[in-house]
Amino acid sequence: MYDEKGRQYLDCINNVAHVGHCHPDIVKAAHEQNQLLNTNSRYLHDNLVDYAERLSKTLPEKLCTFYFLNSGSEANDLALRMARQYTKHKDVIVLDHAYHGHLTSLIDISPYKFRNLEGQKEWVHVAPVPDTYRGIYREDHEDSVTAYANEVRSIIEQAHTRGRKIAAFFAESLPSVGGQIIPPAGYFQKVAEHVHKAGGIFIADEIQVGFGRAGKHFWAFQLQGEDFIPDIVTMGKPIGNGHPIACVAATKEVAEAFAATGVEYFNTFGGNPVSCAVGLAVLDVIEKEHLQAHATEVGNFLMELLNQQKIKHPIIGDVRGIGLFIGVDLIKDQAERTPATAEAEYLITRLKEEYILLSTDGPGRNVLKFKPPMCFSMEDAKFVVDTIDKILTDMEKQCLSQQETSSCFT
Ligand SMILES: Cc1ncc(COP(=O)(O)O)c(C=O)c1O
């Protein structure tokens, strides 16, 4: 990125500029379609059908119906509506600290937001994040998958005793706002089993983590195993490389129940020819530039470098990630794993002074969050980690000279 004075920044956080800021192929696709025709979705256009067909090739066959929208929030709101229409139930189970969008309906299912507002609605149920580093069941638990899934089962049972009925389990495939969490494989299958038994459906929010970021798989839910298929997948952010487009992919059963109301789905701008041309170009670039393989290669290298820093700097408690979705959990002490919030804030401020953009997340705002554009290179990885090393070394010296290690940066 370049600022208004032409200074160059290394962007480690923009998962919207997925294939790179101002990628010429994306700019060209939008420009050419804009010159030719842009209409609202009352008018049929091949781009919409072509795009839906291309997207369907990235997904399991079961997810075969597509709805196009303009933002991630719109996609999640539609998913919620569809879940309620299909199940005839109202309640939603979400993971703690989750964020699913800015609409009223989504603030209600976003603990990250509603905890600071009016609080939890009676139809919302919050499950613990399947975080094996600082969650309720950790790496030393004999079966964290079953233990976390059983928490969801208990929530369902408790809801039933109050006469409530579950419409959906709504979760990011890799909880990002929750602190760059990698749910243990098999967790979603077990949760889906409990939720389906209760008559609900599974909605995977891939708005931050989809489109090959996980490297090995195009969709992050696929990390759970081939036997897992959500009932609905929502997409946004990277889908248009910055152009406002979003999508809901649903199974035939869910889509048919939604259509059966007779109330048409209409969205003026959703799926317009320009947006679809952009969406197609993004898929082309991911393929042409082998960005999935690249995410694996660079992501592995970045994890390796960060793990070397973990040995050197005790403030690094955990390095976790997959592909170009990586979190570095900063702690004040090994025993309690107390979030090093002030230190994390100080570190990202110093990085910005070195022209590197990095952010923090997680309930303790102590997790360094790597989710760079997918063209992020080996050199970029080396540069950011070398700079982190330099700053952490400075911080350690500063603390030592102040003789009060734990409160140096508060
Ligand atoms: C996981 C997740 N879901 C949904 C949204 C909402 O997307 P949008 O801001 O495009 O409405 C966001 C945005 O940050 C998000 O991170």
Side-chain angles (χ1 to χ4, degrees), residues 216-265:
K216 193 164 163 225
H217 297 285
F218 199 83
W219 301 106
F221 72 79
Q222 293 169 318
L223 293 165
Q224 291 281 313
E226 285 195 4
D227 55 334
F228 175 69
I229 303 175
D231 301 286
I232 295 182
V233 172
T234 60
M235 311 164 195
K237 294 187 192 278
I239 189 173
N241 211 52
H243 183 90
I245 172 170
C247 178
V248 172
T251 61
K252 190 163 165 272
E253 296 75 28
V254 172
E256 279 176 358
F258 186 59
T261 58
V263 178
E264 67 162 356
Y265 166 70

Side-chain angles (χ1 to χ4, degrees), residues 71-73 76 99-102 172 176-177 205 207-208 237:
S71 71
S73 296
N76 280 346
Y99 175 67
H100 292 295
H102 68 87
E172 272 193 276
S176 57
V177 178
D205 178 336
I207 288 163
Q208 285 222 27
K237 294 187 192 278

